[in-house]
Amino acid sequence: MDFSKCWLDYQPIECKEKAFSTLSVLCDGRVVKSAVEEYCLAMEAMTGAVVEVTPEGGRECVSLRLDAALSGADSYEICREGDGYRITGQSESGVLYGVFEFLRLVRTGHLASLPLVNGPEMPLRIMNHWDNMDGSIERGYSGNSFFYRDYEILCDERTEQYARLMASIGINAVVINNVNVHQRETYLITDTYLEQVKEYADLFGRYGIRLYTSVNFAAPMELAGFDNCDPLNPEVAQWWKETAAHIYEVIPEFGGFLVKADSEGRPGPFTYDRTHADGANMLARALAPYGGIVIWRCFVYNCGQDWRDKKTDRARAAYDNFIGLDGCFDDNVILQIKNGPMDFQVREPVSPLFGGLKKTNMILEVEIAQEYTGQQIDLCYLLPMWREILDFDTCAAGEGSTVRRIVNGELYGQKLCGMAAVINTGDDYNWTGNDLAAANTYGYGRLAMNPSQSSESIAREWTALTLGGEVEDTVTQMLMGSWSTYEKYTSPLGIGWMVTPHYHYGPDVDGYEYDRWGTYHRADWRGLGVDRTPAGTGYTDQYNEPWRSVYADRTKCPEELLLFFHYVRYNEKLRSGKTLIQHIYDTHFEGVEEVEAMAETWRQLAPKLAPDVYGRVKERLERQLANAREWRDRINTYFYRKCGIPDEKGRKIYE
Amino acid sequence: MDFSKCWLDYQPIECKEKAFSTLSVLCDGRVVKSAVEEYCLAMEAMTGAVVEVTPEGGRECVSLRLDAALSGADSYEICREGDGYRITGQSESGVLYGVFEFLRLVRTGHLASLPLVNGPEMPLRIMNHWDNMDGSIERGYSGNSFFYRDYEILCDERTEQYARLMASIGINAVVINNVNVHQRETYLITDTYLEQVKEYADLFGRYGIRLYTSVNFAAPMELAGFDNCDPLNPEVAQWWKETAAHIYEVIPEFGGFLVKADSEGRPGPFTYDRTHADGANMLARALAPYGGIVIWRCFVYNCGQDWRDKKTDRARAAYDNFIGLDGCFDDNVILQIKNGPMDFQVREPVSPLFGGLKKTNMILEVEIAQEYTGQQIDLCYLLPMWREILDFDTCAAGEGSTVRRIVNGELYGQKLCGMAAVINTGDDYNWTGNDLAAANTYGYGRLAMNPSQSSESIAREWTALTLGGEVEDTVTQMLMGSWSTYEKYTSPLGIGWMVTPHYHYGPDVDGYEYDRWGTYHRADWRGLGVDRTPAGTGYTDQYNEPWRSVYADRTKCPEELLLFFHYVRYNEKLRSGKTLIQHIYDTHFEGVEEVEAMAETWRQLAPKLAPDVYGRVKERLERQLANAREWRDRINTYFYRKCGIPDEKGRKIYE
């Protein structure tokens, strides 16, 4: 086995109960079968005793039941019963989730918390893979794809382990290929690959997961010789209908399509003067007869901007492109909206689309892959960020209109909604490059299941399961502080970017400043920041009140987003009483100090950790420290060279 | 034929003389045979009449003779004789050069300038190809290699045409592969490729050209399993001896090796605490028995510099690395020295090594490939720059110690010296991407033959031969102004760089500023430039007087190099009375205006040019204009944002 077990590493436990050794299975089905297999594998590993699986009930056993009357799709109940335990699922998936939860409680010694009733809050809990069939992964930082190698689809031990990992955290949908659909991947929905895709669909199906593919909007042109892919061309629509029919013939449980259209050079309906609704609905009607859905990404902006142009604002783009289409999408279309208006920066405001659309299915897209947040070299536990996003009150329908209540379906009574995340896995031994980055993978699933769970409690769970209870406190502390630390030593106060172009790792303050991507900091000798108030680009008007006013007001704007919304002079005072420039210097010195402390903390954990895990993370922390120092010095020097204001504390700023 | 004839396009002439139709060949040899073939091909194309070749003399003919007593190696004499002409060569190559010269005079109608005696001034006139065997060309801007495709060596019509083009401008040495010798290229000196290399050597030999290869200093390790390539290891030396013996067995006329060692990651003697002399001499001794030579590049510097470090100065590196070895190199070793201390920027001082080394063979290396000078998109005729370099008086042995007199062998009586150039050709139809870039290819050869020829007269020759006499004045004017124009809109006053990292095209002011390459401008809110005086890095001390004092003195330093040698404040006055910042603004506006004028000039030439040539160059000029505007705006905005000083003339500078 050349891959780790991650959080499914069932180590022997102290507290063994007799009931654990008998599994009474009072329901059936292929997902239940997976639950039973997981139970046996786990219990035998943890207790050393063979599990007897029986179709009979009994007093001193663990029983699995199915009860469709339980409230909430795929929910489960776990309680004591006689001298044993009962796990009841609302569905087969509910049973599977219940078993995983039970095993987690056993493994971490938390059975005292029973009884519990639980269930997934988000209807869709999706993983997006940006894997390409040549084996590469776009923005992958953990090796190559374990789905593909040299245009072949791999179905092996590792993909099975993958399915178990996903099911254990409640994932119920997986998109198996990159949203940038290249030439060969266009064929995934054809007979060239469908039989192999079906193998995946079957494997995933056994774990309650539906398979989706990213599709190329121009597929009729590339696959069938059409001279256009106009969504209102009946022949194009017909081609998609036939294609869908054939997909469902082979894979009756196929989930549907994810589409990146008219974005960063991808084809789309704009070419034919059609709307995104025209495009999405055309595909949706092909899938509707089979219950399939279309997930349409809102990451649409002008990626050929002129840096001289201060009126065009990339932050406005998603809202401007989609708000007018609210209510125009078919029922089986969902818009997938990135958490912020730019692109997965360490700090962004929440996308105003969430507070804008009211009659459209929405999915919140986050990025587990640490593209801009340290690339799984630097530690950056993202759960606190995601919690902030989910808890953001859009005020779309009065107070309490949080993003969470929008994408869990509560606010507008929607069924097709939830969360999607760009996964951070690859074929590295530890799956995620940095062992600790798996906390984000794990945490994403847990959060989508239950967005009220705290980041800290998720960190504790993951740490206990993966590294053991002995290091739980310390590693949890490291994880919890890491986002703030990363933010401190990188770009300041919500301005974002300042990264090496293309790679997106390491500092380059002007790297994107004169480029075409709409990502500018506008620093000059007086100050920096982008004026997005009505006096500037007017982006703030895309928010509901009170945010519209709050963001537009320099004195009320949340300070962590200050430079995202305002141009601020270096000598202006922040609420702390510090000037902006002093704040920049201070946070950058602090950020490095915090990384130093983190590395020291890790060194002290050495005796309590497996040597390979210890060594791998140590090496990452050393690279993170070098990176943090480079950020500190470049940022400080860059701004010192611009403004000439020295550090009040006289620390070393290179000239 | 999918390639143009360049300057060997023998168009019909008006003034046909009867003598042209009889070629009296009074000498022989394979190079003479090439001369005869060229004569016939050219005369028949120009006159339409078949040439009679005869071994007899006569009154109304053109006769070819060989006279070893003529003064100067490979020289020639052309004069009237009877009703015809006599071309006498000091050697076979002399005959060939004489024929090419004669054909040039016929083609351009300049036979009235006879009689003439001429000959190559530089002993070695070398082309360096940075071609890789996969078909790519490092820093190639004219398509792929015509030497290699997919690791195969091509020997076809195009390579023959290439050999004719090179011979016609006096090239007598060609290095057939990139100085960065990759894995497969390491095998060029083994039986894997030697037979094919021999085909090239034979072809080149027929045109008086010797073939050289770039070699991998670590070849004994890669090819023969050695665990080191220590130049003082007798087994390593023995391996090279045997390798050389075998090369000369197959290719008796093999020229020798070009070596890039201990540079930008290439292996070299430093690994073993040996000197460059140890390394070069070891190779030289392997080649000496056969008359082969080693050309050792001086492009050695620390490419892992820390931008924070203001003491290390890349400009110092070549001198610091080599000056202590003066006199330590074997007679058949030549140091190849780049014209400037950095790397082929649009403006650099002349390398102080030329004025420093006195007992070492030296070659001046220039770059025809426009890596930093517009990549054959932008027009940049480089002859004026090369003339300045050759005419620079190093004062090494009193006044008049010009670079020209050093590398032509005059000053120190050296035989192995001359010029080398990185060629700008590829498999594009027109060979050089931009048709006008061939003026640099042509001009380099002409200049190495005769460094006293003016840039303008070379431009006239090339234009007349390639585009016809009708556009000679106008195109010559375009060429002559183009270097200055390019300099105006790119990095100011000798500071260099400010280009997009890796690509080296287009502006990125801070692109290399915080990187590891030692190429910094050090701009801050007060000014910019690198202090290379004794108060700074001390680089100026590498020059002989008076340059040492001149460069170190802010008031005497040639202004075009001001920022190379000094840190200057934006508001300091230049000799023109303008402030530095106003000079930057003015030159950048002017540069763009000059490109606009150039493009307009070209448009007016349309009726006088072949439509394909016209169209190709027009497209390049349009791209140049876009590039010039981008440079203007980014440079102006960058400095405006740093210093806040507005343009006195109120022109548009973006904020």
Side-chain angles (χ1 to χ4, degrees):
Chain A
M1 195 179 71
D2 59 349
F3 48 88
S4 77
K5 293 173 176 168
C6 286
W7 56 84
L8 295 182
D9 187 13
Y10 299 110
Q11 293 291 317
I13 51 169
E14 300 273 302
C15 175
K16 301 163 190 171
E17 296 184 33
K18 184 151 179 290
F20 293 170
S21 302
T22 309
L23 184 68
S24 163
V25 182
L26 307 171
C27 51
D28 60 10
R30 61 181 182 155
V31 180
V32 169
K33 188 158 169 277
S34 299
V36 171
E37 283 168 10
E38 189 74 26
Y39 182 90
C40 296
L41 179 152
M43 262 326 165
E44 290 174 14
M46 291 194 287
T47 64
V50 174
V51 173
E52 186 197 348
V53 178
T54 162
E56 309 294 318
R59 281 196 56 79
E60 200 165 9
C61 68
V62 174
S63 68
L64 303 185
R65 289 161 202 269
L66 212 152
D67 178 2
L70 260 189
S71 127
D74 300 337
S75 64
Y76 54 90
E77 183 186 45
I78 311 177
C79 57
R80 295 193 173 271
E81 187 180 52
D83 296 328
Y85 300 89
R86 190 183 69 214
I87 303 170
T88 311
Q90 186 272 336
S91 62
E92 283 196 62
S93 287
V95 172
L96 180 65
Y97 298 152
V99 165
F100 274 117
E101 180 88 75
F102 182 74
L103 292 170
R104 199 152 31 223
L105 297 174
V106 170
R107 166 95 170 83
T108 56
H110 286 129
L111 279 177
S113 62
L114 296 182
L116 66 79
V117 180
N118 221 330
E121 179 170 317
M122 305 280 175
L124 286 163
R125 304 170 303 279
I126 311 177
M127 283 299 190
N128 285 186
H129 281 262
W130 286 0
D131 295 36
N132 301 313
M133 292 196 74
D134 63 2
S136 66
I137 301 178
E138 186 165 324
R139 306 304 172 189
Y141 311 105
S142 317
N144 290 318
S145 174
F146 47 74
F147 282 170
Y148 313 104
R149 188 187 304 132
D150 295 336
Y151 303 101
E152 290 300 316
I153 297 180
L154 311 170
C155 207
D156 55 21
E157 256 187 278
R158 184 155 197 159
T159 26
E160 182 150 346
Q161 164 89 345
Y162 165 79
R164 287 174 52 223
L165 285 166
M166 294 300 103
S168 75
I169 54 171
I171 298 304
N172 66 352
V174 165
V175 187
I176 61 167
N177 64 306
N178 187 358
V179 289
N180 293 315
V181 183
H182 305 297
Q183 206 214 336
R184 295 287 284 275
E185 290 80 357
T186 303
Y187 287 83
L188 274 171
I189 53 171
T190 72
D191 282 332
T192 310
Y193 290 115
L194 264 184
E195 281 299 329
Q196 287 170 275
V197 172
K198 178 184 164 54
E199 278 190 67
Y200 270 5
D202 289 345
L203 166 63
F204 294 168
R206 291 195 279 118
Y207 288 92
I209 298 166
R210 286 211 173 208
L211 179 148
Y212 294 67
T213 60
S214 296
V215 295
N216 180 347
F217 196 78
M221 299 168 73
E222 295 199 21
L223 299 178
F226 280 80
D227 65 359
N228 69 71
C229 56
D230 181 349
L232 299 195
N233 175 348
E235 289 170 23
V236 167
Q238 183 59 30
W239 183 87
W240 280 108
K241 280 193 174 136
E242 287 162 18
T243 300
H246 184 62
I247 295 171
Y248 281 93
E249 204 169 52
V250 180
I251 308 171
E253 292 179 310
F254 185 75
F257 299 150
L258 174 63
V259 192
K260 174 175 180 176
D262 289 316
S263 171
E264 296 179 334
R266 309 306 304 166
F270 281 4
T271 311
Y272 309 100
D273 268 333
R274 311 304 184 192
T275 68
H276 289 285
D278 293 330
N281 292 342
M282 182 270 291
L283 295 176
R285 284 161 203 170
L287 298 171
Y290 318 97
I293 62 177
V294 167
I295 306 173
W296 192 270
R297 290 177 93 234
C298 292
F299 187 55
V300 178
Y301 68 100
N302 171 10
C303 65
Q305 193 175 331
D306 190 326
W307 59 268
R308 301 165 186 84
D309 169 9
K310 288 190 156 179
K311 281 295 166 197
T312 302
D313 182 0
R314 171 167 166 181
R316 296 185 56 111
Y319 188 95
D320 284 344
N321 275 303
F322 285 91
I323 196 68
L325 299 173
D326 194 22
C328 301
F329 293 96
D330 283 10
D331 288 346
N332 63 331
V333 173
I334 316 177
L335 296 188
Q336 180 165 311
I337 305 166
K338 287 195 181 188
N339 63 268
M342 299 298 278
D343 191 16
F344 299 135
Q345 301 302 294
V346 67
R347 175 75 68 176
E348 292 188 40
V350 167
S351 170
L353 261 183
F354 290 110
L357 297 170
K358 293 185 164 63
K359 294 169 285 180
T360 303
N361 297 316
M362 281 178 267
I363 279 177
L364 165 64
E365 178 179 343
V366 297
E367 194 182 37
I368 311 176
Q370 291 172 237
E371 178 177 359
Y372 295 98
T373 51
Q375 303 201 350
Q376 289 136 249
I377 298 162
D378 300 28
L379 185 62
C380 192
Y381 178 61
L382 295 164
L383 272 287
M385 182 207 285
W386 298 336
R387 273 300 303 265
E388 279 192 23
I389 294 157
L390 288 163
D391 293 343
F392 178 77
D393 190 347
T394 67
C395 302
E399 219 174 297
S401 305
T402 59
V403 172
R404 172 180 172 186
R405 292 184 62 229
I406 291 166
V407 298
N408 72 10
E410 197 182 317
L411 194 67
Y412 303 124
Q414 289 163 353
K415 299 265 177 286
L416 293 178
C417 46
M419 286 181 78
V422 183
I423 198 167
N424 62 346
T425 53
D427 71 356
D428 276 0
Y429 173 79
N430 65 5
W431 299 78
T432 51
N434 189 330
D435 288 68
L436 302 186
N440 287 324
T441 330
Y442 178 88
Y444 163 71
R446 297 293 284 160
L447 195 71
M449 287 288 274
N450 177 10
S452 67
Q453 191 177 354
S454 77
S455 316
E456 185 181 330
S457 110
I458 293 173
R460 287 192 171 280
E461 265 183 32
W462 175 83
T463 307
L465 289 168
T466 310
L467 303 174
E470 220 188 336
V471 301
E472 185 182 313
D473 285 349
T474 313
V475 173
T476 298
Q477 209 177 10
M478 282 176 67
L479 290 170
M480 288 302 293
S482 60
W483 175 41
S484 157
T485 298
Y486 188 83
E487 186 175 17
K488 279 185 181 176
Y489 63 76
T490 57
S491 66
L493 297 175
I495 193 69
W497 309 94
M498 302 190 172
V499 291
T500 309
H502 314 304
Y503 303 105
H504 300 171
Y505 187 78
D508 187 346
V509 181
D510 273 2
Y512 279 114
E513 187 59 13
Y514 298 89
D515 214 330
R516 63 186 177 89
W517 300 94
T519 54
Y520 311 113
H521 55 65
R522 307 294 189 192
D524 62 17
W525 76 100
R526 291 161 301 198
L528 82 154
V530 179
D531 184 354
R532 291 191 161 102
T533 70
T537 72
Y539 166 77
T540 51
D541 283 344
Q542 295 185 342
Y543 288 91
N544 300 308
E545 288 293 2
W547 293 113
R548 177 187 299 209
S549 304
V550 165
Y551 288 145
D553 184 339
R554 158 80 181 81
T555 64
K556 290 185 187 148
C557 179
E559 224 155 47
E560 69 274 13
L561 289 168
L562 189 61
L563 299 176
F564 188 90
F565 286 108
H566 298 273
Y567 175 89
V568 180
R569 289 175 181 254
Y570 297 118
N571 56 10
E572 278 187 53
K573 288 269 168 73
L574 305 188
R575 264 160 239 160
S576 61
K578 287 178 187 177
T579 60
L580 170 61
I581 188 69
Q582 193 57 41
H583 173 87
I584 290 175
Y585 295 154
D586 285 351
T587 48
H588 283 78
F589 284 109
E590 282 164 28
V592 172
E593 286 158 17
E594 289 173 16
V595 178
E596 284 164 348
M598 207 148 63
E600 178 54 32
T601 301
W602 188 255
R603 276 192 292 274
Q604 289 177 1
L605 288 182
K608 300 177 182 170
L609 290 163
D612 64 326
V613 176
Y614 172 74
R616 284 195 300 266
V617 175
K618 178 168 168 286
E619 179 260 355
R620 299 269 156 166
L621 283 165
E622 284 160 3
R623 289 164 69 188
Q624 176 172 10
L625 185 53
N627 185 44
R629 287 178 178 151
E630 193 65 22
W631 270 98
R632 175 195 65 196
D633 289 342
R634 286 215 211 171
I635 293 273
N636 285 347
T637 294
Y638 180 94
F639 287 107
Y640 176 68
R641 284 195 188 177
K642 269 229 154 82
C643 70
I645 304 171
D647 173 36
E648 282 174 6
K649 301 179 187 164
R651 290 161 295 192
K652 180 70 184 171
I653 292 178
Y654 296 86
E655 293 209 348
Chain B
M1 195 178 71
D2 58 350
F3 47 88
S4 77
K5 294 174 177 166
C6 287
W7 56 85
L8 294 183
D9 186 12
Y10 299 110
Q11 292 291 319
I13 52 169
E14 302 274 301
C15 175
K16 302 165 191 170
E17 297 185 33
K18 184 151 178 291
F20 294 168
S21 303
T22 308
L23 185 68
S24 161
V25 183
L26 306 173
C27 50
D28 59 12
R30 60 181 181 156
V31 179
V32 169
K33 188 158 171 276
S34 298
V36 171
E37 282 168 10
E38 188 72 27
Y39 182 91
C40 296
L41 179 152
M43 257 334 161
E44 290 174 16
M46 291 194 287
T47 64
V50 175
V51 174
E52 185 196 351
V53 179
T54 161
E56 310 292 322
R59 280 196 58 81
E60 202 166 11
C61 68
V62 175
S63 67
L64 303 187
R65 290 164 200 267
L66 213 151
D67 177 1
L70 260 189
S71 128
D74 300 337
S75 64
Y76 54 88
E77 183 186 46
I78 311 176
C79 57
R80 294 193 174 273
E81 186 178 55
D83 295 329
Y85 301 89
R86 189 183 70 214
I87 303 171
T88 311
Q90 186 272 337
S91 62
E92 284 198 61
S93 287
V95 173
L96 181 63
Y97 298 152
V99 165
F100 273 117
E101 181 88 75
F102 182 73
L103 293 171
R104 207 160 17 231
L105 297 175
V106 171
R107 167 93 170 84
T108 56
H110 286 130
L111 279 177
S113 62
L114 295 182
L116 66 80
V117 179
N118 221 331
E121 178 170 318
M122 305 280 174
L124 285 163
R125 305 170 302 280
I126 312 176
M127 285 297 190
N128 285 186
H129 281 262
W130 287 0
D131 294 35
N132 301 312
M133 293 195 72
D134 64 1
S136 66
I137 301 178
E138 188 165 321
R139 308 302 171 190
Y141 311 104
S142 317
N144 290 318
S145 174
F146 47 75
F147 280 171
Y148 313 104
R149 188 186 303 130
D150 297 335
Y151 304 100
E152 291 298 319
I153 297 180
L154 311 171
C155 205
D156 55 20
E157 255 188 278
R158 184 155 197 159
T159 26
E160 181 150 348
Q161 164 89 347
Y162 165 79
R164 288 175 51 224
L165 286 166
M166 292 302 102
S168 75
I169 54 172
I171 298 304
N172 66 352
V174 166
V175 187
I176 61 167
N177 63 306
N178 187 357
V179 290
N180 292 315
V181 183
H182 304 298
Q183 206 214 334
R184 293 287 284 275
E185 290 80 357
T186 302
Y187 288 83
L188 274 171
I189 52 171
T190 71
D191 281 332
T192 311
Y193 290 115
L194 264 183
E195 280 300 330
Q196 286 170 276
V197 172
K198 178 185 163 54
E199 277 191 68
Y200 270 5
D202 289 346
L203 166 63
F204 295 168
R206 289 196 280 119
Y207 289 93
I209 299 166
R210 287 214 171 204
L211 179 147
Y212 293 67
T213 60
S214 297
V215 294
N216 181 346
F217 195 79
M221 299 168 73
E222 295 198 21
L223 298 178
F226 280 80
D227 65 359
N228 69 71
C229 56
D230 181 349
L232 299 195
N233 176 347
E235 289 170 22
V236 167
Q238 184 57 30
W239 182 88
W240 280 107
K241 281 195 171 134
E242 286 163 17
T243 300
H246 185 61
I247 294 171
Y248 280 93
E249 203 170 53
V250 180
I251 309 171
E253 292 179 309
F254 185 73
F257 297 150
L258 174 63
V259 192
K260 173 176 179 176
D262 289 316
S263 171
E264 296 180 333
R266 308 307 304 167
F270 282 2
T271 311
Y272 309 100
D273 269 333
R274 311 303 185 194
T275 68
H276 288 287
D278 293 330
N281 293 342
M282 183 269 294
L283 294 176
R285 285 161 202 170
L287 298 172
Y290 317 97
I293 62 177
V294 167
I295 306 172
W296 192 268
R297 289 175 95 234
C298 294
F299 186 56
V300 178
Y301 68 100
N302 171 10
C303 67
Q305 192 175 334
D306 190 326
W307 58 269
R308 299 165 187 82
D309 169 9
K310 287 189 156 180
K311 282 294 164 198
T312 302
D313 182 0
R314 171 168 167 180
R316 296 185 57 110
Y319 188 95
D320 284 343
N321 276 302
F322 285 91
I323 196 68
L325 299 173
D326 194 20
C328 302
F329 292 96
D330 282 10
D331 286 347
N332 63 330
V333 174
I334 315 177
L335 295 189
Q336 181 165 310
I337 305 167
K338 286 195 183 189
N339 63 270
M342 299 298 278
D343 191 16
F344 300 135
Q345 300 303 293
V346 69
R347 174 76 67 174
E348 292 188 43
V350 167
S351 170
L353 260 183
F354 289 110
L357 297 171
K358 293 187 164 65
K359 295 170 283 181
T360 304
N361 297 315
M362 282 178 267
I363 280 177
L364 165 65
E365 178 179 343
V366 298
E367 194 182 36
I368 312 176
Q370 291 172 239
E371 178 177 0
Y372 294 97
T373 51
Q375 303 200 351
Q376 288 136 250
I377 298 162
D378 300 29
L379 185 62
C380 191
Y381 178 60
L382 295 165
L383 273 287
M385 183 208 287
W386 298 335
R387 273 301 302 263
E388 279 192 22
I389 293 158
L390 287 164
D391 293 342
F392 178 77
D393 190 347
T394 67
C395 303
E399 221 173 299
S401 306
T402 58
V403 172
R404 172 181 172 184
R405 291 185 60 230
I406 291 166
V407 298
N408 72 10
E410 196 182 318
L411 194 66
Y412 302 122
Q414 289 163 354
K415 298 265 177 287
L416 293 178
C417 47
M419 286 181 77
V422 183
I423 198 168
N424 61 347
T425 52
D427 71 357
D428 275 1
Y429 172 79
N430 65 4
W431 298 79
T432 50
N434 189 331
D435 288 67
L436 302 186
N440 287 324
T441 330
Y442 178 87
Y444 162 71
R446 296 294 283 161
L447 195 69
M449 287 288 274
N450 178 10
S452 67
Q453 192 176 354
S454 76
S455 318
E456 184 181 330
S457 109
I458 293 174
R460 288 194 171 279
E461 264 183 33
W462 175 82
T463 307
L465 290 169
T466 311
L467 303 174
E470 218 187 339
V471 300
E472 185 182 311
D473 286 349
T474 313
V475 173
T476 297
Q477 207 177 14
M478 280 176 67
L479 290 171
M480 287 303 291
S482 60
W483 175 41
S484 157
T485 298
Y486 188 83
E487 185 176 19
K488 281 185 180 176
Y489 62 76
T490 56
S491 65
L493 296 176
I495 192 69
W497 309 94
M498 301 191 172
V499 292
T500 307
H502 314 303
Y503 303 105
H504 301 172
Y505 187 77
D508 187 345
V509 182
D510 273 1
Y512 279 114
E513 187 59 13
Y514 298 88
D515 215 329
R516 64 188 176 88
W517 300 95
T519 53
Y520 311 113
H521 55 66
R522 308 292 189 192
D524 62 17
W525 76 100
R526 292 161 300 198
L528 81 154
V530 178
D531 184 353
R532 291 191 161 102
T533 70
T537 72
Y539 166 78
T540 51
D541 283 345
Q542 295 185 343
Y543 287 90
N544 300 311
E545 288 291 5
W547 293 113
R548 179 187 297 209
S549 305
V550 165
Y551 288 145
D553 184 340
R554 159 78 180 83
T555 64
K556 291 185 188 149
C557 179
E559 223 154 47
E560 68 275 13
L561 289 168
L562 188 61
L563 299 176
F564 189 90
F565 286 108
H566 297 272
Y567 175 89
V568 180
R569 290 176 181 254
Y570 297 119
N571 56 11
E572 278 186 53
K573 289 268 169 71
L574 304 187
R575 265 159 240 161
S576 61
K578 286 180 188 178
T579 60
L580 170 62
I581 187 70
Q582 193 58 40
H583 173 87
I584 291 175
Y585 295 153
D586 284 353
T587 48
H588 284 78
F589 283 109
E590 281 164 30
V592 172
E593 285 157 19
E594 288 172 18
V595 178
E596 283 164 348
M598 208 148 63
E600 178 53 32
T601 301
W602 188 255
R603 275 191 294 275
Q604 289 177 3
L605 289 182
K608 300 177 180 169
L609 290 162
D612 63 329
V613 175
Y614 172 74
R616 283 195 299 266
V617 175
K618 177 169 171 287
E619 180 260 357
R620 300 270 156 166
L621 283 164
E622 283 160 4
R623 290 164 69 189
Q624 176 173 10
L625 185 52
N627 185 44
R629 286 177 176 150
E630 193 65 22
W631 270 97
R632 174 195 64 195
D633 290 342
R634 285 213 209 173
I635 293 274
N636 286 348
T637 295
Y638 180 93
F639 287 107
Y640 177 68
R641 284 194 188 179
K642 268 230 157 82
C643 69
I645 303 171
D647 174 36
E648 280 173 6
K649 300 180 187 163
R651 290 161 294 193
K652 180 70 184 171
I653 292 178
Y654 296 86
E655 294 210 346

